[in-house]
């Protein structure tokens, strides 16, 4: 087993490496340690540019050590933040099959590192540099910036679970063999746009979704995706496996751009008819035989579970949902929802019809993604979530850029229907509990 850990500075590589060492007892190679050894040998005037040159010098040595370990069927953990991004060129397919874990873009948004520990690690580095004869000022300055950054992120630090639960270590390392064979050696990017609590790896042709089994159950989603095959443009399931605490869903990648791409944000006259078309594609699908249903009772039962187990994040809600101008708390909102159920209009509902989940290509709807909640459901749920997504993508709440002079009410003109504001408000309020 060869484990390669790489990424930007201070994203938890060393912490992750130490935990892997404790767990697996593998031989360990740190490029940073090699560089510090060269520094201590007498070169005390290194600059960041020299550091890059050192890495270029060291990489061929590390590469040969990896190859030797693979050929001798040995284990090895390699830590280093500057391994070349195109490092795959240095290994043929035979070697790539034996490299079990690679993270090319480890960031604090991707690994659930404990910021307090990383801050302490940075402080420790500065202390050791102060005590040593090797005074590399730019290294010390970098660490000071990291420490100051974590000071300013104090509120966020408090939100991090004190237990180090690395998605990188626990999930990617356990990728089932049949899935690993399909993705071995392929470049990927990490999608952290959504709020589903999952890790999504985007390849050229595939998408790998990794979910915590304690929070998600994708079996019914896989069943729905298989049922939708040939009915709607949705990802095709290539493999679904469970391993330990995680579920792994490998799917084909739908071509196209998200509906919230800059082009469509700047051309709402093109966007709205396509969103209306996407909604009508769902509504025109025959729901007989659909293996999943989410009527009001199902939705409210799930909402009650979240309320009773304190899983509702009121900080992520609309400004007027809770507080002085809204409901006292999630329990009060749930009570209102249970007492004010509107009429049920069953159709095939996407379940999370927001702009990132509708893909467009060549002026057409190319597909739907994130179909975990797709089921027989109320027609106005998708309309409400689409309306809210339009509103907040254009006003800058999502994405940070404001596109002025847009009226989300134009969605109803594109759909050719009158808005039912009572049902729209109901579904937006119900979604506040999820």
């Amino acid at each position: 087993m060869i484990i390669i850990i790489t990424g930007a500075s201070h994203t938890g590589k060393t912490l992750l490496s130490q935990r892997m060492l404790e767990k697996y007892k593998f031989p360990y190679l740190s490029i940073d340690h090699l560089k510090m050894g060269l520094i201590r040998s007498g070169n005390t005037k290194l600059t960041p540019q020299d550091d890059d040159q050192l890495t270029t010098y060291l990489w061929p040595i590390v590469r040969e050590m990896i190859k030797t370990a693979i050929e001798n069927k040995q284990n090895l953990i390699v830590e280093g933040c500057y391994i070349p991004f195109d490092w795959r060129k240095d290994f043929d397919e035979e070697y790539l099959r034996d490299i079990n874990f690679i993270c090319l873009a480890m960031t604090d948004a991707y690994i659930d590192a404990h910021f307090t520990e990383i801050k302490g690690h940075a402080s420790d580095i500065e202390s050791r540099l102060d005590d040593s004869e090797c005074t590399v000022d730019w290294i010390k300055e970098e660490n000071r910036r990291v420490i100051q950054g974590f000071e300013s992120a104090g509120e966020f630090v408090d939100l991090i679970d004190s237990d180090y639960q690395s998605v990188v270590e626990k999930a990617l390392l356990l990728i089932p063999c049949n899935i690993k064979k399909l993705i071995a050696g392929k470049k990927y990017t990490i999608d952290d746009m959504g709020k589903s609590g999952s890790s999504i790896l985007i390849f050229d042709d595939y998408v790998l979704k990794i979910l915590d089994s304690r929070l998600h159950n994708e079996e019914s989603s896989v069943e729905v995706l298989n049922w939708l095959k040939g009915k709607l443009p949705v990802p095709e399931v290539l493999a679904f496996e469970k391993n330990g605490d995680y579920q792994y869903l490998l799917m084909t990648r739908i071509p196209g751009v998200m509906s919230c791409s800059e082009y469509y944000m700047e051309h709402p006259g093109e966007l709205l008819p396509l969103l209306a078309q996407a909604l009508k594609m769902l509504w025109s699908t025959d729901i007989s035989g659909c293996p999943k249903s989410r009527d009001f009772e199902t939705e409210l039962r799930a909402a009650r579970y979240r309320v009773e187990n304190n899983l509702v994040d009121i900080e992520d809600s609309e400004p007027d949902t809770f507080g002085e101008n809204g409901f006292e708390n999630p329990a009060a909102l749930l009570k209102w929802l249970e007492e004010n159920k509107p009429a049920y209009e069953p159709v095939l509902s996407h379940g999370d019809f927001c702009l990132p989940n509708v893909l467009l290509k060549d002026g057409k709807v190319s597909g739907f993604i994130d179909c975990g909640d797709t089921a027989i459901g109320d027609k106005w749920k998708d309309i409400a979530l689409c309306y809210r997504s339009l509103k907040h993508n254009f006003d800058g709440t999502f994405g940070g850029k404001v596109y002025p002079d847009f009226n989300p009410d134009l969605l109803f003109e594109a759909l050719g229907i009158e808005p039912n504001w009572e049902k729209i408000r109901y579904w937006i309020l119900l979604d506040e509990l999820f």
Side-chain angles (χ1 to χ4, degrees):
M1 179 184 293
I2 309 296
I3 302 172
I4 298 180
I5 304 173
T6 182
S9 297
H10 302 293
T11 51
K13 296 182 303 300
T14 299
L15 291 174
L16 179 59
S17 299
Q18 294 303 317
R19 282 161 175 76
M20 286 186 170
L21 282 169
E22 293 171 4
K23 183 174 183 179
Y24 298 107
K25 314 296 182 184
F26 288 176
Y28 172 59
L29 172 63
S30 167
I31 293 180
D32 287 340
H33 290 175
L34 292 175
K35 286 188 291 189
M36 291 305 293
L38 290 174
I39 292 172
R40 292 193 180 95
S41 69
N43 189 347
T44 60
K45 297 181 180 180
L46 280 175
T47 67
Q49 291 72 29
D50 295 326
D51 184 68
D52 291 340
Q53 292 176 9
L54 256 183
T55 301
T56 303
Y57 167 76
L58 289 170
W59 170 242
I61 300 173
V62 175
R63 177 192 61 210
E64 292 308 311
M65 295 182 71
I66 293 173
K67 285 186 174 182
T68 299
I70 291 174
E71 289 168 352
N72 295 325
K73 294 182 170 52
Q74 296 173 333
N75 300 314
L76 182 65
I77 296 175
V78 181
E79 177 204 343
C81 58
Y82 300 114
I83 293 176
F85 190 79
D86 60 348
W87 64 275
R88 287 182 175 85
K89 296 177 181 177
D90 294 325
F91 297 97
D92 59 28
E93 289 298 321
E94 178 183 356
Y95 289 105
L96 288 171
R97 283 196 299 269
D98 291 311
I99 296 179
N100 292 70
F101 166 67
I102 303 102
C103 180
L104 291 176
M106 189 181 290
T107 67
D108 55 14
Y110 185 52
I111 65 171
D112 190 12
H114 193 295
F115 279 12
T116 303
E117 291 188 70
I118 298 175
K119 173 186 169 184
H121 177 63
S123 301
D124 182 56
I125 290 175
E126 181 172 10
S127 174
R128 284 188 280 114
L129 286 171
D130 283 336
D131 294 339
S132 71
E133 296 179 358
C134 172
T135 55
V136 186
D137 291 337
W138 64 268
I139 295 179
K140 294 168 66 175
E141 181 59 30
E142 178 186 2
N143 277 279
R144 289 193 185 97
R145 286 198 301 270
V146 170
I147 294 169
Q148 292 169 359
F150 285 122
E151 292 286 1
S152 64
E155 293 183 4
F156 188 57
V157 171
D158 293 337
L159 300 176
I160 303 298
D161 189 343
S162 60
D163 294 327
Y164 186 96
Q165 297 293 333
S166 169
V167 174
V168 174
E169 178 183 0
K170 284 184 170 288
L172 287 181
L173 191 60
L174 297 174
I175 290 178
C177 292
N178 66 323
I179 294 179
K180 194 181 299 180
K181 290 177 182 177
L182 294 172
I183 63 175
K186 296 182 182 293
K187 291 184 179 180
Y188 64 84
T189 57
I190 299 164
D191 176 14
D192 59 358
M193 176 176 286
K195 300 179 181 181
S196 63
S198 59
S199 297
I200 302 176
L201 277 58
I202 308 294
F203 299 86
D204 287 341
D205 301 316
Y206 304 143
V207 174
L208 177 59
K209 196 171 183 180
I210 304 173
L211 306 104
D212 189 328
S213 294
R214 295 167 296 182
L215 303 175
H216 301 274
N217 183 1
E218 284 295 285
E219 289 188 27
S220 61
S221 300
V222 170
E223 190 176 6
V224 170
L225 283 174
N226 288 332
W227 178 78
L228 284 171
K229 185 177 179 180
K231 297 180 176 68
L232 287 174
V234 296
E236 179 182 352
V237 176
L238 300 175
F240 176 66
E241 298 282 346
K242 294 181 180 180
N243 196 350
D245 292 331
Y246 293 90
Q247 300 174 38
Y248 302 81
L249 176 57
L250 183 67
M251 303 169 284
T252 56
R253 181 179 177 182
I254 299 290
V257 298
M258 293 178 179
S259 300
C260 54
S261 67
E262 186 172 5
Y263 175 84
Y264 284 104
M265 290 290 94
E266 293 175 347
H267 297 83
E270 296 181 40
L271 172 63
L272 290 171
L274 292 172
L275 291 176
Q277 178 189 346
L279 285 166
K280 292 176 181 179
M281 289 168 65
L282 290 162
W283 301 341
S284 64
T285 301
D286 183 1
I287 59 176
S288 59
C290 180
K292 195 173 179 180
S293 177
R294 290 184 68 90
D295 57 15
F296 281 111
E297 296 305 322
T298 303
E299 297 277 6
L300 290 169
R301 186 163 55 248
R304 174 164 292 281
Y305 176 85
R306 292 181 59 80
V307 170
E308 292 177 348
N309 289 275
N310 298 314
L311 299 175
V312 178
D313 180 10
I314 62 174
E315 299 299 324
D316 192 36
S317 61
E318 296 289 309
D320 294 332
T321 298
F322 299 105
E324 183 177 352
N325 298 318
F327 295 91
E328 180 181 358
N329 51 43
L333 171 55
L334 176 63
K335 184 175 185 297
W336 183 90
L337 291 167
E338 291 175 331
E339 294 173 351
N340 292 274
K341 289 181 291 185
Y344 183 48
E345 299 178 54
V347 295
L348 182 66
S349 166
H350 179 278
D352 189 14
F353 197 102
C354 56
L355 270 58
N357 291 336
V358 181
L359 301 187
L360 309 174
K361 184 180 180 182
D362 300 330
K364 299 178 181 178
V365 177
S366 58
F368 302 90
I369 60 173
D370 202 5
C371 302
D373 290 328
T374 301
I376 299 173
D378 187 72
K379 175 180 180 178
W380 287 89
K381 177 178 182 178
D382 283 352
I383 297 175
L385 299 188
C386 181
Y387 179 84
R388 182 182 63 183
S389 185
L390 274 170
K391 177 182 176 182
H392 289 329
N393 273 280
F394 277 93
D395 68 15
T397 301
F398 301 152
K401 183 176 179 178
V402 177
Y403 298 86
D405 302 324
F406 174 77
N407 181 2
D409 292 4
L410 294 173
L411 172 66
F412 306 106
E413 183 178 316
L415 284 169
I417 62 174
E418 291 295 323
N420 184 328
W421 295 113
E422 177 185 344
K423 296 196 74 171
I424 290 171
R425 178 173 182 264
Y426 184 94
W427 279 110
I428 290 176
L429 286 173
L430 178 53
D431 195 62
E432 298 283 47
L433 299 179
F434 289 89

